[in-house]
Amino acid sequence: MFPNEFLWGGATAANQIEGAYDADGKGLSVQDVLPRGIKGPASEGATDDNLKLQAIDFYHRYREDIDLFAEMGFKVFRLSIAWSRIFPRGDEAEPNQAGLEFYDRVIDYLLTKGIEPMVTLSHYETPLHLTREYGGWTNRKLIGFFENYARTLMEHFAGRVRYWLTFNEINSVLHFPILSGIEGTPEEVGTQNLYQAIHHELVASARATKIAHQIDPANKVGCMILAVPRYPLTPRPDDALAALTAAHDDFAFGDVHCRGYYPGYLLRKLRDLGVELNITEDDRTDLQHTVDFVSFSYYMSACESATERTGGEGNLIGGVPNPTLQASEWGWQIDPVGLRIILNEYWDRWQKPLFIVENGLGAKDELVDGTVNDDYRIEYLNDHLVQAGEAIADGVQLLGYTAWGCIDLVSMSTAQMSKRYGFIYVDRNDDGSGSLTRYKKKSFDWYRRVIESNGSVLKR
Ligand code: BGP
């Protein structure tokens, strides 16, 4: 059911695993001043109680971790490069060589292990200087800074990295502007600034795609979308319309990345909001550099209603709770069938190869006798992979699957260590204590067998 060349693997982000937040010339990123995650207040500078400052110390332990990934049989490893390691402030002309050298070591080691690196250019870790001095992506200048950053990496890693993702979950900016380096709530930022920032990111993404193809036509560039299938809460047409309208907020990003221009429903929304975007002729030309594939994260679905607006805890996008589904300990509603639905919707809509680059269950684990009996995680992953297989049988072209947080890491939304996703347990606690020793969970061997059998051991 899974094609022979299917890319099995795992996914991480620099700020959630590396630590070494100021080593070898690294500058601060917005994550270094968010000790409570995106829902907590930002601090002036890096504070000791921010678990991300040390994270799981991948910076020094990457060989041991990659050895474990290789033991599971990973074909691909998704990592992000911390922009502030390469350009500590973000606006320099020349890169920090020591930052490049760290990723040389990681990427070369992956390649010696036969693991394909997939690099996210910007995973929620805008250099802090660009946030505080420029207003993050609200400022058009960031397009040029990002272009310089993307070109630097793509030239430096030419022939070694073939898979590139531009912005992690690019649609999340609508809900949490700080993820695009913009301080304030969406209301404080205002719709005009927010959509102008989105426009800048879309242009920057297209320019990075153009550069990738110029440098090496074999490069494959994907956009990355936070995918949440939206169901109408009831069969009422108004609820179905509410679901479509909410889905459009996500589709819009894929539409621009895949079609190269703004869709009509988005132009209408902007008119209704009174937003007038500054779009140059060059912007329009750049946007025509469309992506090679569409990647996305999938954790949950949500209901939408024309009358009810609240209740959903979820991911970054709340919605209204679905009365038919169970939720994780953090309130994310578990819906494997939703994955098949979104795969079909995206494939039908864009006819571009798809890549599931995040999926997994955040749960509290108990280490007993040097392992974790995480049957709940195995069940979650099994059920989602079965639905991915169904989508492939439906005709969807799916390139691969990277399980989120393949090794325990610091949570993005809450900055906790105790919200664990990994096949590998890392001894670190929410209070920062722990030896950082790695242990294989039960799911480690399970995933190894899934990969080895190319999915045929999955239980339907
Ligand atoms: C996605 C992010 C990741 C990640 C994941 C799980 O939205 O791209 O960075 O962490 O969600 O979220 P959390 O860490 O909040 O459980």
Side-chain angles (χ1 to χ4, degrees), residues 10-12 299 359 402-409 420-424:
T12 58
Y299 295 93
N359 174 238
T402 54
W404 175 251
C406 47
I407 179 164
D408 290 348
L409 41 65
R420 297 174 183 275
Y421 286 87
F423 304 113
I424 301 162

Side-chain angles (χ1 to χ4, degrees), residues 18-329:
E18 288 177 359
Y21 78 100
D22 62 353
D24 300 326
K26 179 181 172 295
L28 292 182
S29 88
V30 289
Q31 291 296 337
D32 298 320
V33 300
L34 292 171
R36 302 281 160 269
I38 49 163
K39 293 177 188 165
S43 51
E44 280 305 304
T47 53
D48 283 348
D49 61 341
N50 185 348
L51 292 185
K52 284 165 280 183
L53 302 191
Q54 189 188 18
I56 60 161
D57 197 31
F58 180 81
Y59 196 79
H60 298 108
R61 294 164 195 254
Y62 66 90
R63 282 175 165 261
E64 177 188 352
D65 295 340
I66 292 169
D67 285 345
L68 290 165
F69 301 154
E71 196 180 325
M72 279 187 277
F74 279 21
K75 315 265 183 250
V76 62
F77 175 55
R78 175 181 174 224
L79 70 160
S80 72
I81 287 185
W83 188 349
S84 61
R85 280 198 198 284
I86 312 302
F87 292 96
R89 291 153 50 100
D91 58 358
E92 299 91 337
E94 296 302 323
N96 169 30
Q97 288 303 325
L100 286 171
E101 284 163 18
F102 166 63
Y103 294 107
D104 279 335
R105 294 194 289 277
V106 172
I107 284 166
D108 290 348
Y109 197 60
L110 285 166
L111 294 173
T112 62
K113 293 278 164 177
I115 301 175
E116 179 98 47
M118 170 184 267
V119 170
T120 314
L121 293 170
S122 182
H123 193 128
Y124 293 162
E125 45 210 358
T126 308
L128 188 63
H129 179 73
L130 297 184
T131 293
R132 297 266 157 97
E133 297 299 318
Y134 292 87
W137 280 96
T138 59
N139 193 322
R140 179 172 277 276
K141 285 192 177 140
L142 264 77
I143 300 176
F145 300 148
F146 186 80
E147 182 177 355
N148 188 28
Y149 167 59
R151 186 187 301 281
T152 301
L153 293 184
M154 289 165 175
E155 283 175 353
H156 187 82
F157 293 108
R160 289 186 284 167
V161 176
R162 289 190 303 155
Y163 288 89
W164 300 93
L165 306 181
T166 52
F167 292 93
N168 183 62
E169 297 188 336
I170 186 166
N171 46 329
S172 64
V173 57
L174 279 172
H175 311 277
F176 291 94
I178 192 64
L179 297 173
S180 290
I182 307 161
E183 292 186 288
T185 62
E187 294 70 34
E188 287 160 355
V189 175
T191 45
Q192 175 69 39
N193 283 334
L194 209 49
Y195 277 97
Q196 190 64 46
I198 289 169
H199 175 69
H200 295 151
E201 286 192 79
L202 290 167
V203 172
S205 181
R207 281 214 207 159
T209 307
K210 173 166 98 178
I211 292 165
H213 292 153
Q214 281 168 349
I215 290 174
D216 184 352
N219 273 330
K220 303 255 176 271
V221 184
C223 55
M224 199 301 203
I225 297 170
L226 192 178
V228 178
R230 317 297 187 121
Y231 306 144
L233 185 64
T234 72
R236 279 190 220 114
D238 281 351
D239 282 358
L241 185 61
L244 176 66
T245 307
H248 272 162
D249 275 350
D250 305 330
F251 286 155
F253 293 83
D255 284 352
V256 176
H257 273 105
C258 294
R259 298 174 180 165
Y261 56 88
Y262 278 54
Y265 63 83
L266 177 57
L267 296 174
R268 189 228 162 119
K269 179 170 182 169
L270 296 176
R271 279 198 305 275
D272 290 353
L273 290 169
V275 170
E276 283 186 36
L277 289 185
N278 171 12
I279 305 180
T280 67
E281 272 317 301
D282 281 351
D283 291 351
R284 289 187 204 282
T285 314
D286 284 333
L287 285 178
Q288 288 166 22
H289 292 272
T290 53
V291 289
D292 302 301
F293 67 100
V294 173
S295 78
F296 64 92
S297 61
Y298 178 76
Y299 295 93
M300 54 174 284
S301 58
C303 285
E304 300 294 337
S305 148
T307 49
E308 290 176 50
R309 292 253 168 262
T310 52
E313 284 189 46
N315 211 351
L316 299 173
I317 292 175
V320 183
N322 185 327
T324 71
L325 296 176
Q326 302 294 314
S328 79
E329 289 178 70

Side-chain angles (χ1 to χ4, degrees), residues 352-425:
K352 298 253 189 196
L354 304 178
F355 209 127
I356 303 166
V357 294
E358 283 187 35
N359 174 238
L361 178 70
K364 292 196 177 111
D365 287 340
E366 204 188 341
L367 187 72
V368 179
D369 296 333
T371 189
V372 176
N373 192 348
D374 56 345
D375 286 323
Y376 38 90
R377 181 169 294 109
I378 293 172
E379 185 187 337
Y380 178 102
L381 295 170
N382 179 84
D383 295 354
H384 283 78
L385 283 168
V386 165
Q387 293 301 325
E390 293 293 336
I392 292 170
D394 293 333
V396 171
Q397 194 185 340
L398 183 60
L399 298 174
Y401 175 91
T402 54
W404 175 251
C406 47
I407 179 164
D408 290 348
L409 41 65
V410 184
S411 155
M412 184 275 298
S413 58
T414 63
Q416 290 169 294
M417 215 30 241
S418 55
K419 189 179 187 191
R420 297 174 183 275
Y421 286 87
F423 304 113
I424 301 162
Y425 184 93

